[in-house]
Amino acid sequence: MTMDRSILQSEFAMVEVSRDDSANGARLLIRDMATGNHIYLDPLELEALTRVDHSFFVPLVGPASRE
């Protein structure tokens, strides 16, 4: 079951974020509205994101990765 949906957008991206309870525990579902690509993140994976700073994402979101 998926609920509690929110759409977040900027001039560069739009994603839908929702809570998903269909697995063994609650997890976050993030879906790219443009491509339909999605990922489920459990609490451990979300907590791991708190250990990185913004420079970690530069190679992932830079212009070269969007081509």
Side-chain angles (χ1 to χ4, degrees):
M1 177 163 81
T2 302
M3 61 180 105
D4 301 329
R5 297 173 191 262
S6 294
I7 294 179
L8 306 171
Q9 73 180 73
S10 71
E11 61 273 25
F12 304 109
M14 182 171 22
V15 296
E16 177 184 54
V17 179
S18 59
R19 177 184 167 130
D20 180 84
D21 293 303
S22 65
N24 291 334
R27 57 193 181 165
L28 197 64
L29 168 60
I30 304 171
R31 183 172 65 94
D32 179 354
M33 301 290 286
T35 66
N37 291 341
H38 65 279
I39 188 169
Y40 292 93
L41 298 173
D42 67 26
L44 180 60
E45 293 165 326
L46 290 167
E47 188 271 335
L49 289 175
T50 68
R51 300 179 195 186
V52 299
D53 61 26
H54 292 282
S55 64
F56 173 84
F57 295 100
V58 171
L60 302 173
V61 300
S65 66
R66 290 215 173 260
E67 294 177 6

